[in-house]
Amino acid sequence: MTVTQPSSLGRQATSRTIGRNYQSLVLMLLVTLFLMGGMGARLVYLQLIQGEQNRQKAEDNRIRLVPKQPVRGNIFDRKGKILATSRLSHAVYIWPLMLKKSEWPQTLKRLSELLNIPEKEIQKRVERAGASPTSLIRLERDLTPAQITALQEYTSDLDGVKVDIEAVRNYPNGSVGAHVLGYTGELNDKELEKRRAEGYRMGDIAGKMGVEEAYEQKLRGEWGGQQVEVDGAGQILRILGEKQAKAGKDIYITLDLTTQKAAEEALGDQKGAIVALNPYTGAVLAMVSRPTFDPNIFSGKITGATWQKLQGKGNPFVNRAMRGFPPASTFKVVTQTAGMESGKFGPNTILPTFAALRVGGTSFGEWNHAGFGSIGYIQAMQWSSNTFHGQIGKGVGGPTLIEWSRKYGYGEKTGIELSEEAAGLIADDTWKRKRFNWEWTVGDTVNMSIGQGFTQATPLQVAVMFAAPANGGYKVTPHLIQNDKDPNRWRKSLNLKPTTMETLRKGLRAVVASGTGKALNVPHLPPAAGKSGTAEAPPGKPHAWFGGFAPFDKPEIVVVAFAEHSGGGGGSVAAPMVKHVMEAYFGKTDPAAAKEKEKKPTGH
């Protein structure tokens, strides 16, 4: 009998062998579905969720913004003479998208050498542009010809570096009017953060002082630029859009360049200030401060060494025309006003004067150490009697004297557009108790009556005070913007009695005609009026003051000169400065000075 074994191929399936032949196929199918699902989900995420962001990245790689800086508006004087304008210059920029990481260290080193800028500073500027890498980043302004040539020579080694022309600020008169005009400069990080909401961007230039700062919004203009498509090599393929930069607006200010230059000459190298106003409108005709600076310096790069050198000249950025100093005897205009307006000392008052006035154990001396006998307001102003005015101050009392000080504008800002203005100081009992824990005394009042003690007035405030007797009794608001509207906008009546005004004017005229201001009593100038002042300023030498106006009958100009620690008197030091300014304003020449100038030999 033959036994036949069943073949395994024909073996009957059991529960253990069912489906085993399909396991690998099912597994492969599951893996495939998982991978495809993951890829699909990733595609959905990239296209739908991150699609806009990725498209923007792709656009950024081929689309660039080439910004165009606006040309800043010009500044003209009242007669249309240019005070600030723009000139063309070269600047070097970086395009962040063109900076290859592998080549950047070498590029960075080369730029540092050519521009004399530390590598860390360049790197910092590039990193700051992280939020908008498609824009150009300015590295340096106002390149020298040597720098331009060097950059061109190394063009092949400086991918992403571009030299272009831009407009930079130019002040054709140099330092003339520097404290009024101010200067422009690139916004630093802190400034930029504050002004981003106003549309400022990295690399923007803005006014930093004076008129440039005060009228920044009018002068700055609006940025323009081109949106361009580039290839992989950074070459422009086509312009996608263009917006023309909008130039800033020109402005006309009240300065008179001829008068300004004369005031600069009059002050010379003397530390101090000169201010000239139109007494009826408050228009500032001239404003000078010493020491000064050339605003053109800021059109280029300011290094730490340059800044230290500038500061070493005695704080040249402080506008002394708007800083407080003891006003000395110029303040006697306020004292006489308080005396007459209070009713306690009428216009016909006669008082004895002495070698010194003793109050509470303090002696307030007469400058001539003898007194002037019994005199009235006009003679007291003419000879600047301290003991006369001390008696007026003592008689009206501190509160009344303080009240009239503030009515004339002392102790508060005048309202001029410049942000650098200080308020000066008119102290009172509250201030003294808070500062020194001591009550106001009669001695404080007497000291104030002659412009000493705690009183601090700016040359601009003193000019505002002198404008009142010049214009018939109005307190003016000094301003720099040219405005032909109703002058009443710029002035407010002090409501002085006609007799007060008449007495003040006669006294101020007597100062020039035969008193301490005889330097202005010259035949080639219209009749003038004014008041001198010599302020004690320990531990240094005395300050010299003179404020005056002319012509006496119908004044056109008020001029105040202040010479800090000059060591001389107001009549001998400051009055000649006022005279020089008035000569320029009225177009008159001192015959004696001209003759003396002719005698001097000229060099060849």
Side-chain angles (χ1 to χ4, degrees):
M1 181 171 98
T2 303
V3 179
T4 305
Q5 295 285 347
S7 171
S8 61
L9 294 174
R11 189 169 31 192
Q12 196 173 12
T14 68
S15 60
R16 291 185 178 182
T17 61
I18 292 175
R20 181 173 293 177
N21 293 329
Y22 300 100
Q23 283 183 351
S24 58
L25 183 60
V26 171
L27 183 62
M28 289 179 63
L29 182 60
L30 289 173
V31 170
T32 301
L33 289 173
F34 177 77
L35 290 175
M36 290 183 68
M39 291 175 64
R42 180 61 177 168
L43 286 172
V44 169
Y45 175 77
L46 291 174
Q47 290 185 2
L48 298 182
I49 299 176
Q50 281 197 323
E52 184 59 34
Q53 182 178 342
N54 290 323
R55 278 192 292 274
Q56 187 61 51
K57 286 183 178 180
E59 287 292 302
D60 287 346
N61 285 328
R62 68 182 185 84
I63 296 174
R64 293 188 189 142
L65 179 64
V66 184
K68 187 67 176 178
Q69 183 179 349
V71 176
R72 197 169 179 84
N74 298 311
I75 303 175
F76 298 93
D77 85 336
R78 64 191 299 106
K79 296 177 181 176
K81 296 178 181 176
I82 192 71
L83 299 175
T85 185
S86 298
R87 62 178 174 82
L88 295 180
S89 178
H90 286 81
V92 59
Y93 299 85
I94 283 183
W95 258 344
L97 285 177
M98 286 298 295
L99 300 178
K100 299 176 181 177
K101 289 186 178 180
S102 60
E103 298 176 2
W104 174 235
Q106 183 60 35
T107 301
L108 179 63
K109 182 179 180 182
R110 181 74 71 190
L111 283 171
S112 177
E113 294 171 351
L114 296 177
L115 301 176
N116 194 26
I117 301 177
E119 292 184 21
K120 289 183 179 180
E121 186 176 329
I122 297 175
Q123 182 65 40
K124 182 181 178 182
R125 293 183 73 85
V126 174
E127 291 171 354
R128 282 173 60 200
S132 54
T134 55
S135 297
L136 296 172
I137 306 170
R138 185 196 299 109
L139 289 183
E140 184 68 291
R141 306 170 63 210
D142 208 20
L143 298 177
T144 65
Q147 288 175 319
I148 297 170
T149 300
L151 287 166
Q152 290 174 340
E153 288 178 355
Y154 290 98
T155 299
S156 59
D157 298 331
L158 298 172
D159 286 340
V161 178
K162 175 182 175 63
V163 176
D164 203 355
I165 294 175
E166 69 171 7
V168 299
R169 207 55 165 163
N170 181 47
Y171 303 89
N173 300 297
S175 63
V176 174
H179 291 88
V180 175
L181 298 174
Y183 63 93
T184 63
E186 186 173 334
L187 295 176
N188 58 38
D189 291 351
K190 189 175 181 180
E191 293 167 334
L192 180 60
E193 192 61 33
K194 288 182 178 179
R195 306 188 78 164
R196 282 192 187 277
E198 300 174 46
Y200 286 86
R201 63 185 78 186
M202 181 178 166
D204 259 359
I205 306 299
K208 296 290 189 82
M209 179 182 170
V211 170
E212 293 280 22
E213 178 188 38
Y215 291 100
E216 165 69 12
Q217 294 306 313
K218 285 188 176 182
L219 292 167
R220 67 176 295 213
E222 295 180 10
W223 278 79
Q226 291 180 332
Q227 190 179 42
V228 297
E229 183 179 0
V230 297
D231 59 19
Q235 300 298 314
I236 295 176
L237 299 176
R238 60 187 176 120
I239 297 174
L240 301 176
E242 184 170 5
K243 177 186 176 183
Q244 292 294 326
K246 187 177 181 180
K249 294 180 180 178
D250 296 339
I251 63 172
Y252 289 77
I253 63 174
T254 59
L255 282 194
D256 179 82
L257 185 57
T258 300
T259 307
Q260 178 72 26
K261 287 182 176 180
E264 305 263 357
E265 293 170 0
L267 194 55
D269 294 328
Q270 169 64 53
K271 184 180 287 188
I274 293 179
V275 175
L277 299 179
N278 179 310
Y280 293 97
T281 66
V284 178
L285 303 175
M287 182 184 285
V288 181
S289 178
R290 289 286 188 277
T292 188
F293 63 96
D294 185 348
N296 286 304
I297 294 172
F298 295 92
S299 294
K301 181 183 178 183
I302 296 293
T303 63
T306 302
W307 184 254
Q308 289 297 324
K309 185 177 180 181
L310 286 170
Q311 293 290 3
K313 293 182 178 180
N315 297 320
F317 301 102
V318 172
N319 188 346
R320 283 170 168 77
M322 300 192 297
R323 285 292 180 272
F325 303 93
S329 293
T330 61
F331 190 83
K332 290 170 182 175
V333 172
V334 178
T335 305
Q336 289 201 3
T337 302
M340 288 183 275
E341 290 294 313
S342 69
K344 293 183 178 181
F345 299 92
N348 297 320
T349 295
I350 302 294
L351 296 174
T353 58
F354 319 96
L357 180 67
R358 293 190 64 83
V359 177
T362 302
S363 181
F364 296 89
E366 197 67 86
W367 64 267
N368 70 349
H369 308 293
F372 302 93
S374 294
I375 58 176
Y377 279 110
I378 296 173
Q379 293 82 10
M381 187 74 81
Q382 176 184 358
W383 297 112
S384 196
S385 171
N386 288 334
T387 59
F388 179 95
H389 291 92
Q391 291 176 79
I392 297 292
K394 179 183 176 183
V396 301
T400 298
L401 189 59
I402 290 167
E403 178 188 359
W404 276 101
S405 302
R406 291 174 175 161
K407 284 184 177 181
Y408 269 102
Y410 289 121
E412 64 180 13
K413 295 182 179 182
T414 66
I416 194 170
E417 302 95 320
L418 307 184
S419 65
E420 301 87 17
E421 183 180 21
L425 175 64
I426 293 297
D428 55 18
D429 183 70
T430 301
W431 178 89
K432 190 180 178 186
R433 287 179 184 274
K434 184 177 180 180
R435 183 72 179 267
F436 299 106
N437 195 29
W438 195 259
E439 66 180 358
W440 187 265
T441 67
V442 176
D444 293 325
T445 301
V446 173
N447 225 3
M448 176 182 279
S449 71
I450 58 175
Q452 293 285 170
F454 304 118
T455 307
Q456 298 280 311
T458 71
L460 183 60
Q461 289 173 333
V462 175
V464 169
M465 181 199 71
F466 275 109
N471 64 29
Y474 292 88
K475 176 192 169 189
V476 295
T477 299
H479 58 277
L480 286 159
I481 198 67
Q482 185 80 292
N483 192 307
D484 296 324
K485 293 182 179 179
D486 184 357
N488 288 322
R489 173 187 176 187
W490 303 108
R491 62 186 192 178
K492 178 183 179 182
S493 177
L494 293 173
N495 296 314
L496 299 178
K497 300 172 185 175
T499 52
T500 300
M501 181 57 54
E502 182 183 9
T503 304
L504 286 174
R505 284 176 57 82
K506 285 182 176 179
L508 295 172
R509 175 62 187 144
V511 169
V512 173
S514 55
T516 58
K518 288 187 287 187
L520 268 72
N521 192 30
V522 291
H524 63 279
L525 282 178
K531 183 70 188 78
S532 61
T534 305
E536 296 177 5
K541 297 176 181 179
H543 303 318
W545 289 89
F546 196 91
F549 56 86
F552 178 70
D553 291 336
K554 193 175 181 180
E556 297 178 20
I557 186 172
V558 169
V559 184
V560 169
F562 167 71
E564 184 177 342
H565 295 303
S566 69
S572 60
V573 174
M577 296 179 181
V578 173
K579 171 176 169 280
H580 186 79
V581 176
M582 287 188 175
E583 286 171 342
Y585 177 82
F586 290 110
K588 304 293 184 181
T589 305
D590 185 344
K595 193 171 183 179
E596 188 66 29
K597 188 176 181 180
E598 289 176 2
K599 291 180 181 179
K600 293 181 180 179
T602 56
H604 297 281

